[in-house]
Amino acid sequence: MRLTGKKVIALVDEEFEDLELWYPVYRVSEEGAEVHLAGLEKGKTYTGKYGVPATAEYSWDELNAEDYDGILVPGGWAPDKIRRYSAVLKLVQDFNTAKKPIGQICHAGWVLISAKILKGVTVTSTPGIRDDMENAGAIWKDEPVVTDGHIISARRPPDLPPYGKAFCDALAGE
């Protein structure tokens, strides 16, 4: 239980990639971290691409990065919606400034692009947004998981096991 006492935010919106939300949430929970789901509307149940629900315990605007140890951004189509909200972008920027772990997988890179935190950062993502990542100044690699300091990125669901481990390692300070 090396993550006991740690708190993590997991962002949600409609059409998140079900596995890319729930696998990391369960993975960090297994190690003792407390995870809070956050969406635009507190109490709203959002539906993943494959029908799995996730109810937001908090709204984005009531969260503060200083109260948390890490943040998870799932992929799917949700990142294209999530990145349009200034509260989310500020939250991600605050995690970045504090050098706290930021986990992103697949299309989640769109949120980091909109937060303008990728210049010079080595990352991966789904190959479909490689150009977007590079145009934001990132150094893109086609690898299952890339860790650059506090930013942990992965390509897609088959990469979830090493991604989950890498995020947990970052939260544990390893």
Side-chain angles (χ1 to χ4, degrees):
M1 303 295 275
R2 65 183 173 150
L3 300 180
T4 299
K6 302 282 186 181
K7 289 172 53 178
V8 175
I9 297 167
L11 302 177
V12 295
D13 204 331
E14 297 298 343
E15 297 187 84
F16 60 86
E17 207 297 338
D18 307 58
L19 287 172
E20 294 170 1
L21 171 70
W22 288 111
Y23 187 103
V25 165
Y26 290 143
R27 182 70 177 82
V28 298
S29 296
E30 285 175 343
E31 295 224 26
E34 182 180 339
V35 183
H36 295 153
L37 301 181
L40 177 62
E41 296 177 46
K42 179 180 183 172
K44 179 177 177 176
T45 298
Y46 296 90
T47 305
K49 284 172 51 178
Y50 304 105
V52 178
T55 302
E57 301 163 279
Y58 294 92
S59 67
W60 300 320
D61 60 357
E62 66 182 322
L63 296 177
N64 196 321
E66 64 190 34
D67 298 327
Y68 288 86
D69 301 292
I71 189 168
L72 290 164
V73 186
W77 302 122
D80 191 35
K81 298 173 181 87
I82 291 171
R83 69 180 178 161
R84 300 173 193 193
Y85 295 95
S86 60
V88 171
L89 300 181
K90 181 179 183 329
L91 199 57
V92 170
Q93 290 164 348
D94 290 348
F95 272 95
N96 187 60
T97 298
K99 305 283 188 237
K100 293 181 179 182
I102 298 171
Q104 67 97 22
I105 183 168
C106 201
H107 287 83
W110 279 336
V111 176
L112 281 65
I113 289 168
S114 293
K116 300 186 182 346
I117 65 166
L118 290 181
K119 187 171 179 135
V121 177
T122 302
V123 295
T124 193
S125 66
T126 180
I129 68 166
R130 174 185 182 167
D131 290 348
D132 301 322
M133 301 290 270
E134 290 177 336
N135 288 336
I139 301 155
W140 191 89
K141 295 191 180 242
D142 187 10
E143 296 176 5
V145 176
V146 173
T147 299
D148 188 344
H150 62 286
I151 297 178
I152 302 92
S153 56
R155 298 175 302 192
R156 51 190 161 265
D159 302 326
L160 282 163
Y163 171 64
K165 181 183 181 326
F167 187 80
C168 288
D169 289 348
L171 268 179
E174 297 174 4

